[in-house]
Amino acid sequence: MISTYLKPLDEVDAARADHLAFVDELEKTGYAVTAGRMDPPTGGIILLDVDTEAEAHELIAKDPYVVRGLASYTATGWHPTRGALAGYQRAR
């Protein structure tokens, strides 16, 4: 999921702790593989381990950034075949 901030960065940052707690929960439950903010900070990427795009949208709809209208997400499917994530095994 690739996010784009919809509000000024200071408004996004005011909700960052809640957003990071949300990402922590995705990691604990095995849905988030990795995540991070873009540079420059115009959005971020959360690599989700899900079966469908609908499942990704269902999960991300609970992100405080989305709930508060601070960011929108676009789903992009991807299957790692090379590098550090080649052969990735589902954690859940």
Side-chain angles (χ1 to χ4, degrees):
M1 300 297 286
I2 301 171
S3 71
T4 301
Y5 296 150
L6 302 174
K7 301 287 182 174
L9 190 57
D10 61 330
E11 291 182 45
V12 172
D13 283 347
R16 190 166 169 83
D18 292 339
H19 165 74
L20 293 176
F22 168 77
V23 175
D24 284 344
E25 188 60 30
L26 289 177
E27 289 174 341
K28 288 177 189 172
T29 56
Y31 286 103
V33 177
T34 190
R37 187 177 253 184
M38 292 179 188
D39 185 13
T42 58
I45 298 173
I46 302 175
L47 181 58
L48 296 175
D49 182 1
V50 295
D51 294 320
T52 66
E53 184 176 329
E55 185 179 6
H57 283 289
E58 183 179 322
L59 286 171
I60 218 68
K62 299 170 189 166
D63 183 340
Y65 283 174
V66 173
V67 172
R68 297 175 193 175
L70 299 169
S72 64
Y73 283 86
T74 302
T76 301
W78 179 63
H79 297 282
T81 57
R82 300 183 58 115
L85 291 177
Y88 170 80
Q89 296 294 312
R90 180 169 270 178
R92 54 181 174 80

